[in-house]
């Protein structure tokens, strides 16, 4: 039996595999159907990322092959791609259901989720399935949500819903925008999206924990065995836990620091790094208070700050960006500040010349947060929607649409957490205004202090001469 002798490497697979796995190894390519979403696969800083992306890449490295991701619009499209032989497996947060098990093979369970009814603060407030008959409810078609609703309808015949050709994330946004009373979503999707839409409210769980697994063609027993053995070893090594921590470990800790705390840190922390901010800004032609405000948003001026996604330091640089900027230690305050300033300037210069200051600053900040590719996408979308792609006031209304499949599926770089970038820029602008006000006030106090000292010195000198 395949893999009976233990956990095989890619080379050993070549000597023992047959069928689907043999074809993958022979072609040197693993084709994976997925979808754009923060719980699966998306671009960040112009690089692909996401839980499913990281796990698939790790599995492919083990096999010694490259990955080709095929991004589909819906869960139904992902399953169809696997059924039609267009993908070797589907990795898209897929629930393992009895109906699907009759058509496909599944890998081992890697996550448990509950289906949750999600509404909005101030909107409909159903407290039980019986109450759901009075809400405007939509769910994505061809999903396990539809299966669950059909089961519930047997006990609640008046229960009704719309199965729409849309994804869960877009429907959550519709609920947030008060275009829909409620929707159903897996708990992991809800947990991440509530960071972007804090007004969303979980009413109750519709199901007990349900398993998520990768899906494969019904004849791919060899591939199923390889995935099973690999994941067991990956978990044993602690690597799976690291991936989950990266994407889910921070969710309950996310919060914005209030203005009072920021003002306190201006007095107690900023003086330690003010000279570095001023020197870096001077070198790269930037506003030092804007650079400092951005650094506060990134790290709260903590030199050893580390995010769950791997960015580090005062300016929260990725490892690749740090290397590109010639930074040897991201945790060194001076290196981080100068590296962040250089990177910001590089993004600033890559923005089309039609974008003028101060909007140019806001564009560069957004690109720093989300990647220049998504910024370009937002400008393209702004033009399509008849908005001015050179004004932040217009572009900031377009960025949130980058998480809506209706729009991002026609853009080069796909899904992005656009609303978060708008919030990112707005917070930095707020910090910038507060910091400028504080600096001006301090300058005025210092100037007044100097004048007082001169007056005192003058009087002292006059008294001395009189003697």
């Amino acid at each position: 039996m395949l893999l009976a002798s233990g956990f095989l490497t890619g080379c050993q697979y070549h000597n023992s595999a047959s069928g689907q796995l043999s074809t993958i190894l022979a072609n040197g390519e693993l084709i994976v159907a997925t979808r754009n979403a923060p719980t699966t696969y998306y671009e960040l800083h112009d690089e692909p990322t996401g839980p499913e992306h990281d796990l698939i890449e790790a599995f492919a490295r083990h096999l010694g092959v490259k990955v080709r991701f095929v991004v589909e619009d819906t869960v139904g499209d992902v399953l169809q791609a696997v059924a039609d032989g267009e993908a070797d497996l589907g990795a898209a947060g897929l629930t393992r259901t009895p109906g699907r098990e009759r058509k496909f093979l599944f890998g081992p369970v890697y996550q448990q989720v509950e289906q949750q009814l999600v509404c909005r603060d101030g909107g409909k407030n159903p407290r039980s399935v019986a109450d759901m008959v009075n809400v405007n409810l939509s769910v994505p078609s061809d999903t396990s949500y539809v299966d669950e609703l059909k089961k519930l309808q047997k006990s609640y015949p008046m229960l009704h819903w719309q199965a729409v050709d849309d994804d869960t994330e877009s429907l959550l946004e519709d609920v947030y925008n008060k275009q829909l009373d409620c929707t159903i979503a897996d708990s992991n999707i809800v947990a991440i999206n509530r960071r972007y839409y804090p007004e969303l409210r979980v009413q109750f769980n519709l199901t007990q924990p349900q398993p998520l697994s990768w899906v494969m063609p019904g004849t791919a027993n060899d591939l199923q065995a390889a995935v099973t053995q690999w994941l067991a070893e990956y978990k044993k090594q602690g690597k799976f836990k690291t991936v989950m921590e990266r994407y889910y470990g921070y969710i309950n800790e996310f919060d914005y620091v209030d203005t009072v705390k920021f003002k306190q840190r201006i007095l107690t922390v900023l003086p330690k790094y003010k000279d570095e901010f001023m020197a870096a800004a001077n070198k790269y032609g930037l506003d030092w208070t804007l650079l400092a405000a951005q650094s506060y948003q990134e790290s709260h001026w903590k030199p050893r700050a580390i995010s769950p996604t791997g960015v580090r330091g005062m300016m929260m640089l990725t490892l690749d960006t740090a290397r590109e900027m010639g930074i040897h230690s991201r945790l060194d305050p001076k290196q981080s500040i100068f590296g962040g300033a250089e990177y910001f300037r590089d993004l600033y210069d890559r923005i089309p010349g039609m974008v003028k200051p101060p909007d140019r600053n806001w564009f560069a900040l957004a690109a720093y947060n989300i990647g220049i590719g998504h910024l370009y996408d937002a400008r393209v979308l702004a033009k399509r929607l008849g908005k001015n792609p050179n004004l932040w006031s217009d572009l900031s209304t377009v960025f949130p649409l980058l998480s809506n499949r209706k729009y991002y599926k026609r853009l080069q770089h796909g899904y992005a957490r656009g609303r978060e970038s708008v919030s990112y820029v707005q917070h930095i602008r707020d910090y910038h205004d507060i910091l400028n006000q504080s600096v001006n006030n301090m300058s005025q106090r210092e100037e007044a202090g100097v004048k007082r000292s001169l007056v005192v010195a003058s009087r002292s000198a006059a008294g001395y001469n009189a003697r």
Side-chain angles (χ1 to χ4, degrees):
M1 181 178 178
L2 179 65
L3 306 181
S5 61
F7 188 59
L8 304 183
T9 64
C11 293
Q12 289 172 301
Y13 279 133
H14 278 288
N15 296 325
S16 61
S18 60
Q20 186 92 13
L21 181 58
S22 179
T23 301
I24 293 168
L25 296 173
N27 293 335
E29 181 181 64
L30 176 67
I31 305 173
V32 179
T34 187
R35 66 184 190 93
N36 258 162
T39 54
T40 53
Y41 172 100
Y42 61 96
E43 283 191 17
L44 180 65
H45 301 298
D46 300 324
E47 296 292 334
T49 189
E52 299 282 22
H53 168 270
D54 290 6
L55 293 174
I56 287 292
E57 287 284 357
F59 177 55
R61 284 195 299 272
H62 167 71
L63 293 181
V65 300
K66 295 181 179 179
V67 182
R68 175 157 61 91
F69 287 98
V70 179
V71 181
E72 302 289 356
D73 288 338
T74 66
V75 167
D77 293 335
V78 170
L79 295 174
Q80 194 62 50
V82 176
D84 292 344
E86 297 173 359
D88 298 309
L89 62 79
L94 302 171
T95 305
R96 187 170 183 168
T97 66
R100 291 173 181 173
E101 287 183 317
R102 289 193 288 270
K103 301 177 182 178
F104 302 99
L105 294 178
F106 281 85
V109 175
Y110 61 85
Q111 200 170 5
Q112 296 273 357
V113 298
E114 299 89 21
Q115 292 186 26
Q116 298 178 324
L117 180 69
V118 183
C119 304
R120 192 188 194 283
D121 282 341
K124 292 293 182 68
N125 189 32
R127 298 181 180 276
S128 65
V129 176
D131 294 338
M132 289 170 58
V133 301
N134 298 316
V135 303
N136 177 16
L137 175 67
S138 291
V139 295
S141 57
D142 299 321
T143 60
S144 57
Y145 312 143
V146 175
D147 295 340
E148 184 63 28
L149 286 170
K150 288 180 178 179
K151 288 195 296 184
L152 292 172
Q153 196 176 46
K154 294 178 180 178
S155 301
Y156 302 90
M158 298 297 292
L159 182 63
H160 61 278
W161 65 90
Q162 297 83 41
V164 297
D165 184 21
D166 217 335
D167 58 31
T168 306
E169 291 76 15
S170 295
L171 292 178
L172 287 171
E173 185 172 10
D174 287 345
V175 174
Y176 168 80
N177 289 327
K178 301 181 181 180
Q179 298 171 354
L180 181 67
D181 289 342
C182 305
T183 189
I184 297 172
D186 286 341
S187 53
N188 62 328
I189 298 176
V190 176
I192 284 185
N193 280 272
R194 285 190 73 185
R195 296 180 67 245
Y196 318 137
Y197 311 118
E199 291 81 3
L200 294 179
R201 182 178 65 247
V202 176
Q203 299 296 131
F204 52 86
N205 291 347
L206 285 170
T207 67
Q208 295 296 315
Q210 296 179 313
L212 302 185
S213 303
W214 291 346
V215 65
M216 288 152 273
T219 58
N221 300 87
D222 54 348
L223 180 59
Q224 181 190 45
V227 169
T228 300
Q229 291 288 335
W230 166 79
L231 187 57
E233 183 66 19
Y234 197 68
K235 287 183 176 180
K236 183 178 179 181
Q237 295 170 353
K239 295 179 179 179
F240 177 82
K241 183 178 180 180
T242 299
V243 172
M244 291 296 104
E245 174 66 23
R246 177 182 183 187
Y247 293 100
Y248 295 103
Y250 62 94
I251 289 173
N252 294 328
E253 301 173 4
F254 180 82
D255 196 9
Y256 290 114
V257 178
D258 60 30
T259 301
V260 173
K261 188 172 183 179
F262 177 56
K263 288 184 175 180
Q264 291 173 344
R265 287 179 175 268
I266 290 175
L267 298 175
T268 60
V269 181
L270 180 60
K272 301 176 185 177
Y273 310 109
K274 180 179 177 181
D275 289 345
E276 305 295 355
F277 284 123
M278 296 181 74
N282 182 61
K283 180 176 181 179
Y284 295 106
L286 303 173
D287 174 358
W288 82 265
T289 55
L290 181 62
L291 186 63
Q294 181 189 13
S295 177
Y296 186 78
Q297 171 65 20
E298 290 285 357
S299 67
H300 301 168
W301 296 330
K302 295 178 181 178
R304 304 189 68 82
I306 301 176
S307 88
T309 56
V311 292
R312 297 185 172 195
M314 292 278 283
M315 298 299 293
M316 285 296 188
L317 300 172
T318 66
L319 184 58
D320 288 342
T321 299
R323 287 171 176 167
E324 186 179 346
M325 299 298 118
I327 301 304
H328 300 294
S329 173
R330 290 179 289 169
L331 302 185
D332 178 87
K334 181 176 180 179
Q335 291 188 49
S336 183
I337 290 170
F338 273 78
E342 183 180 1
Y343 182 51
F344 180 87
R345 184 70 212 197
D346 176 67
L347 294 170
Y348 186 94
D349 291 340
R350 291 167 66 185
I351 295 167
M354 298 86 77
V355 181
K356 305 299 182 184
D359 293 70
R360 197 176 184 87
N361 283 327
W362 319 144
F363 278 51
L365 287 172
Y368 193 105
N369 174 253
I370 204 171
I372 195 77
H374 290 305
L375 177 75
Y376 292 156
D377 277 355
R379 296 187 76 246
V380 169
L381 183 55
K383 291 179 182 178
R384 291 176 185 171
L385 298 176
K387 297 179 181 290
N388 189 334
N390 303 318
L391 295 178
W392 179 251
S393 58
D394 276 16
L395 205 67
S396 63
T397 66
V398 172
F399 259 98
L401 302 179
L402 298 182
S403 63
N404 188 319
R405 187 174 62 84
K406 175 182 176 182
Y407 299 101
Y408 71 66
K409 68 179 181 180
R410 298 177 56 205
L411 298 172
Q412 181 179 354
H413 299 277
Y415 171 90
R417 302 194 303 257
R419 189 178 298 277
E420 187 175 274
S421 292
V422 174
S423 178
Y424 173 87
V425 173
Q426 185 57 53
H427 276 79
I428 293 173
R429 293 178 68 176
D430 290 342
Y431 291 144
H432 186 220
D433 288 341
I434 295 169
L435 180 55
N436 278 331
Q437 184 181 31
S438 298
V439 169
N440 289 336
N441 289 341
M442 285 188 288
S443 296
Q444 290 173 3
R445 287 193 296 270
E446 289 173 359
E447 183 178 348
V450 170
K451 287 181 178 179
R452 284 194 299 271
S453 298
L454 290 173
V455 169
V456 171
S458 177
R459 289 174 178 171
S460 297
Y464 176 82
N465 291 332
R467 291 195 296 271

